[in-house]
Amino acid sequence: MIKTVTFSVALALVSGCSYVGVYKRDLAQGNLITQDMVSQLETGMTKEQVRYVMGSPLLQGPFDENRWDYVFYLDEAYGDVEEKRVTLTFQNDKLADIEREGDIENNVDLSTQSGPGPAVEGSGPGDNAPVAGPSYAPEE
């Protein structure tokens, strides 16, 4: 009986059915939208000027090239879900209307987390070392 209980507990721990929490990380998707970016937008700007400030839109109307949607979605690992949306409308290739949804005023902290999990690119011990290319000697 003791062997059966011990085997069942060990099997449950190995199979992932344990009381230990699962590692989760924040999941950010879409265009990063900051207050600084949105405050630079002014009606009358060209599409290229808007693209320089905001980047390429996440969604562009399939039937209306004059509507650009910038959407940011953050699913915090152990917290809430945050969504921001900026919809821009153009007339004659000039910015005509700016619609905001979500909490644009509060910028999202996307700093890297330390601790267990995958390493962040550029954080390894040899990442700042010069890259050695092939060495060629002239033939004589």
Side-chain angles (χ1 to χ4, degrees):
M1 177 78 167
I2 293 176
K3 288 182 181 179
T4 305
V5 170
T6 305
F7 178 72
S8 299
V9 169
L11 184 62
L13 290 173
V14 171
S15 67
C17 298
S18 68
Y19 294 105
V20 178
V22 176
Y23 174 74
K24 295 170 79 177
R25 54 187 318 167
D26 294 348
L27 178 63
Q29 296 178 315
N31 300 97
L32 180 62
I33 301 171
T34 64
Q35 175 60 34
D36 182 47
M37 294 165 66
V38 176
S39 66
Q40 293 179 46
L41 295 175
E42 298 176 5
T43 56
M45 294 175 77
T46 66
K47 289 183 177 182
E48 289 305 314
Q49 290 171 324
V50 171
R51 187 170 281 138
Y52 179 78
V53 171
M54 297 290 292
S56 296
L58 182 66
L59 301 168
Q60 193 169 358
F63 304 109
D64 185 8
E65 294 178 0
N66 292 319
R67 177 182 166 143
W68 289 4
D69 288 299
Y70 293 86
V71 180
F72 179 75
Y73 181 84
L74 176 65
D75 185 2
E76 296 176 350
Y78 300 100
D80 296 330
V81 174
E82 184 172 343
E83 186 173 350
K84 300 178 182 186
R85 182 184 204 107
V86 175
T87 301
L88 306 177
T89 308
F90 294 89
Q91 279 185 328
N92 300 324
D93 290 334
K94 301 284 185 185
L95 184 58
D97 186 41
I98 304 168
E99 294 179 33
R100 299 169 182 89
E101 292 179 31
D103 190 8
I104 305 289
E105 288 78 29
N106 289 331
N107 292 332
V108 177
D109 180 27
L110 294 178
S111 61
T112 58
Q113 300 172 357
S114 61
V120 177
E121 186 176 331
S123 64
D127 288 337
N128 292 330
V131 178
S135 169
Y136 297 104
E139 295 184 19
E140 295 183 27

